[in-house]
Amino acid sequence: MKIGEAISYNPKQISDAIKNEKYELANSLSKDLKIPKQEHPYLFTRIEFLRNLDSYKFLNSENDKLKPAILSELNSRNPEVREIKDLSNNTVLTSEGTYIKVLNEHHINFGYIGTSNNTQELEDARLKNQHRDIQNNFTYHEKLGFLGPDPSHLGEAFKLQFGIALPHLYMDNQIQRISQACSDLGFTLKPMQIKKNSPLIYTLENKSSSNTTLKETITAAIQLGYAVKKAETHAQLKALESDHSYKLFASSYWSLGSLPSLTSEEYFSYIEDMICACLFNYLDKHKLQELTQLFQSQLHSILLLNDEQSDCDTSKVMNKDFEYFLNTLRS
């Protein structure tokens, strides 16, 4: 990529303007970055800001010996990292939708997972990240933006992930076609749960942040989301001509009654099936709100489980959660 094609994003301009009491300039720069509040068609949104300390090399297989020093540096500069008890491993800290991944491809990833139907949560997460005291200690290039080991994530250096239910497109074997269309527009479509045999909920992720802004990427993702949802609606109308979709959900539901035990992965899989069944009125007797709350409460575990090198432990799914899940369905 030519340097001239990169996005020039300087996070220091705002802090410098405030420091020099140039408040009008700071306000103007802030408006340029602000994500406008708008509704979107997604079940959940996720954002990660990828940052690397200016005083250390990027992570690779040859600099493992630097990890203790990098952790110590992060620990001294970021109060949230200090709360992580075990700093020897790649660690995930979750707290009210926010989390931090340390030494996972990048020195540090600041993440947020939200479930509202508008972009306000994304803007709040962006502002929180922008106002971190550690911000000016990250590797930055005047023309390329934040730097890291992945050249596709420079600029504002972010990853976006949006969740959407596509059971009928899956059953109609159209996921590959939709996936290609998304790829042509700069996004990757893949199952929310990689190991699930029959994936019904998918995530839409941006391929790059190097030649676009966060605001532009979110706008494009919302437009694409509505187009994909329209295709899902057409696939549902087609499914009504047969009882294939009903059989899939009915089979999944009735099999729950005969299971003596359940692994965490199976538990997450059934939650996905049931939330889709309720969303599309295949289990109209059941309370969508209760299942939605259960689904949302497990989102961190489900999404972080798929992350490479993540130490998120999902093996200890509480029995009371599973019992509540079954009771909600049977009530």
Side-chain angles (χ1 to χ4, degrees):
M1 181 179 66
K2 296 179 180 178
I3 290 181
E5 296 175 351
I7 295 297
S8 179
Y9 165 71
N10 192 338
K12 299 178 182 179
Q13 287 179 332
I14 296 177
S15 58
D16 288 344
I18 294 175
K19 184 178 180 180
N20 296 322
E21 298 183 355
K22 297 180 179 180
Y23 300 117
E24 290 185 5
L25 175 60
N27 185 53
S28 176
L29 293 171
S30 297
K31 286 182 178 179
D32 290 339
L33 295 173
K34 184 177 181 180
I35 302 167
K37 186 175 180 178
Q38 54 185 317
E39 292 186 354
H40 60 71
Y42 296 109
L43 296 175
F44 60 85
T45 59
R46 179 184 181 187
I47 187 170
E48 278 190 12
F49 296 97
L50 320 174
R51 299 292 182 262
N52 298 275
L53 291 170
D54 190 36
S55 51
Y56 293 93
K57 295 179 181 179
F58 301 143
L59 295 182
N60 57 58
S61 58
E62 297 179 359
N63 66 3
D64 283 347
K65 60 185 179 181
L66 294 176
K67 287 187 176 183
I70 294 173
L71 282 168
S72 177
E73 176 85 4
L74 292 171
N75 183 39
S76 66
R77 293 186 179 277
N78 194 289
E80 291 173 280
V81 177
R82 294 178 204 147
E83 298 176 14
I84 301 175
K85 296 179 181 179
D86 182 7
L87 293 177
S88 62
N89 299 316
N90 299 336
T91 309
V92 175
L93 168 70
T94 60
S95 174
E96 296 182 355
T98 62
Y99 63 92
I100 291 179
K101 293 194 294 188
V102 180
L103 305 181
N104 187 287
E105 297 182 351
H106 302 267
H107 293 162
I108 190 167
N109 293 12
F110 298 105
Y112 177 80
I113 298 172
T115 56
S116 74
N117 66 341
N118 62 65
T119 57
Q120 184 60 51
E121 289 180 330
L122 294 174
E123 170 61 9
D124 292 343
R126 184 196 68 80
L127 279 174
K128 181 178 180 179
N129 183 70
Q130 179 183 304
H131 293 155
R132 292 181 186 277
D133 293 335
I134 196 176
Q135 197 70 264
N136 291 336
N137 299 104
F138 294 133
T139 306
Y140 183 82
H141 186 278
E142 289 292 331
K143 291 187 179 292
L144 297 176
F146 287 109
L147 302 182
D150 184 355
S152 66
H153 286 101
L154 307 180
E156 294 184 54
F158 60 85
K159 287 184 179 180
L160 283 170
Q161 191 177 59
F162 303 88
I164 189 167
L166 305 176
H168 301 94
L169 286 172
Y170 165 75
M171 288 182 280
D172 198 32
N173 298 314
Q174 293 194 55
I175 292 298
Q176 185 174 357
R177 179 180 68 85
I178 298 296
S179 179
Q180 183 59 55
C182 292
S183 180
D184 293 342
L185 295 173
F187 294 89
T188 300
L189 185 73
K190 63 181 183 181
M192 181 182 71
Q193 300 187 63
I194 304 298
K195 298 179 181 180
K196 192 170 185 290
N197 292 328
S198 54
L200 305 183
I201 296 179
Y202 290 78
T203 60
L204 193 72
E205 302 176 18
N206 66 309
K207 289 184 178 181
S208 173
S209 67
S210 296
N211 59 350
T212 184
T213 65
L214 177 59
K215 181 165 60 175
E216 291 170 343
T217 304
I218 290 174
T219 299
I222 290 175
Q223 292 174 346
L224 179 56
Y226 279 118
V228 172
K229 192 171 183 179
K230 184 177 180 180
E232 169 64 21
T233 300
H234 284 298
Q236 183 183 15
L237 292 174
K238 182 179 178 181
L240 292 176
E241 299 175 1
S242 66
D243 60 354
H244 178 66
S245 55
Y246 173 77
K247 287 180 178 179
L248 183 146
F249 288 116
S251 174
S252 179
Y253 169 65
W254 289 112
S255 65
L256 283 170
S258 60
L259 291 174
S261 62
L262 208 61
T263 66
S264 59
E265 286 79 8
E266 290 172 331
Y267 173 62
F268 296 149
S269 178
Y270 277 110
I271 289 179
E272 180 176 317
D273 290 348
M274 294 304 104
I275 194 71
C276 283
C278 286
L279 283 171
F280 294 93
N281 299 315
Y282 289 105
L283 296 177
D284 54 3
K285 289 184 179 181
H286 302 93
K287 298 178 181 179
L288 177 60
Q289 183 177 358
E290 291 186 58
L291 283 175
T292 299
Q293 290 174 348
L294 185 62
F295 173 73
Q296 292 175 350
S297 70
Q298 302 293 349
L299 260 181
H300 273 80
S301 297
I302 294 173
L303 294 177
L304 295 173
L305 178 67
N306 287 334
D307 292 348
E308 294 182 7
Q309 303 177 25
S310 174
D311 287 338
C312 179
D313 183 11
T314 60
S315 62
K316 299 178 181 179
V317 176
M318 299 296 291
N319 288 332
K320 64 178 182 180
D321 287 343
F322 179 49
E323 291 174 4
Y324 173 76
F325 177 50
L326 289 178
N327 289 336
T328 299
L329 291 174
R330 293 167 176 168
S331 63

